[in-house]
Amino acid sequence: MTSSVLVGVAIDPAERRAGWVGELSAFLAGCRVVDVAQVEPDEVEVLVVGNPPGSTLACYPSLRFVQSTWAGVDQLVVGAPPVPMSRLVAPGLTTLMSEFVLTTVLMAHRGLLEYRRRQMRAEWRPEAAVAAGARKVGVLGFGALGEPAAGRLHDAGFDVAAWARTPRPGAVPVLAGREGLGEILARSEILVDLLPLTAATRDLLDRSAFALMPPGATLINVARGGHVVEADLLEALDSGHLADAVLDVFREEPLPADHPFWSHPRVTVLPHIAAPSRPSDLAPAVAANIELFLSGEEPNFLVGP
Ligand code: OXD
């Protein structure tokens, strides 16, 4: 029975909240979907969020379910009240991410990052192109985002392998465990990070990881800034061991104005845009999961602290 359940949307800024309220209202006809700023916190039973610190949910005493509109919920699960919470897995998000990964891998593969630097020096110096099949690409993570991204790269002709914590079947070879991590780092001329941020993956990409990567390799991070030890990455880029880093995520977001990444010639800074959650694409999946919860069934993609 879903009638009159109050679904609060708590996503900043206010225009985005309004967008989600509008789209979700169309799918959750039996609920009252509102901007949380317009109701008392104790009225909210279901909350739609991004990835805020879990402790901020404490102000909603009647909360029964939390649905994130983000794929990664690393902040949300810390300090959250003990109510079921789901992250978002939806074709709209997966497609955007795979497309972005393919775009950035192609840019690195065809030398566009290096040609941009040469342009700055007015340097006309063409290089022979390498076939995609001769380019080794590694994808860290083989979950809801990693597997489709690896598949898209494989379909584009790249020599792709992925890494997961435990062995998995897949359309590309999946290396696993500590040993597999060393192998994937050592083979990846282009390494794409799509891992979740957990205690096991925090600071995973440090000096020792970069040292294992082939000289001239490129790192693409579309997962979480917390995976990368920033000083070690700068060192690997400054020494010339790594050619480039394309970073869409950072330890601190927005990236502070005085951060060395902004002006580093080998770093491409992007403002967390790889797979933005667009209400128009994602409202059906968000609403369907809320309906599952309200009908007493187990929602999909539950996450735990
Ligand atoms: C994320 C997202 O988890 O944008 O970073 O969905």
Side-chain angles (χ1 to χ4, degrees), residues 169-186:
V172 303
V174 183
L175 305 166
R178 238 21 247 184
E179 197 181 318
L181 181 61
E183 279 177 55
I184 197 141
L185 290 169

Side-chain angles (χ1 to χ4, degrees), residues 71 87-96 144-145 281-286 301:
R87 68 198 182 97
L88 187 60
V89 177
L93 212 51
T94 309
T95 307
L96 280 181
L145 295 175
D281 294 345
L282 301 176
V286 168
F301 313 113

Side-chain angles (χ1 to χ4, degrees), residues 140 185-186 188 191 203-221 227-237 239 241-242 244-245 247 261:
L140 297 180
L185 290 169
S188 298
L191 183 71
D203 296 336
L204 188 77
L205 297 174
D206 62 1
R207 178 176 296 145
S208 59
F210 299 134
L212 288 174
M213 290 173 68
T218 294
L219 170 69
I220 297 170
N221 189 4
H227 294 151
V228 175
V229 179
E230 294 183 344
D232 293 1
L233 175 59
L234 286 167
E235 186 183 280
L237 291 164
S239 72
H241 179 63
L242 291 190
D244 273 287
L247 307 176
F261 284 161

Side-chain angles (χ1 to χ4, degrees), residues 113-175:
L113 303 166
E114 174 57 23
Y115 284 124
R116 174 81 192 150
R117 281 188 288 272
R118 291 184 192 176
Q119 177 184 343
M120 294 294 116
R121 303 192 293 265
E123 185 180 344
W124 183 277
R125 182 151 63 95
E127 308 273 358
V130 173
R135 183 72 74 196
K136 290 189 164 49
V137 181
V139 177
L140 297 180
F142 204 63
L145 295 175
E147 182 170 5
R152 189 93 190 252
L153 293 168
H154 171 76
D155 293 347
F158 289 105
D159 178 357
V160 185
W163 179 75
R165 268 187 314 137
T166 49
R168 307 224 182 129
V172 303
V174 183
L175 305 166

Side-chain angles (χ1 to χ4, degrees), residues 240-259:
H241 179 63
L242 291 190
D244 273 287
V246 178
L247 307 176
D248 185 52
V249 286
F250 301 90
R251 296 182 95 95
E252 185 180 345
E253 294 182 13
L255 187 65
D258 59 352
H259 198 287

Side-chain angles (χ1 to χ4, degrees), residues 51 69-74 93 97 145 222-224 249 272 275-277:
N51 183 27
T69 56
W70 281 40
V73 287
D74 39 283
L93 212 51
M97 181 57 90
L145 295 175
V222 282
R224 284 292 179 264
V249 286
H272 203 134
S277 298

Side-chain angles (χ1 to χ4, degrees), residues 11-30:
I11 293 173
D12 286 333
E15 309 84 74
R16 280 186 68 72
R17 271 203 303 284
W20 276 103
V21 169
E23 295 287 343
L24 283 174
S25 300
F27 292 96
L28 291 169

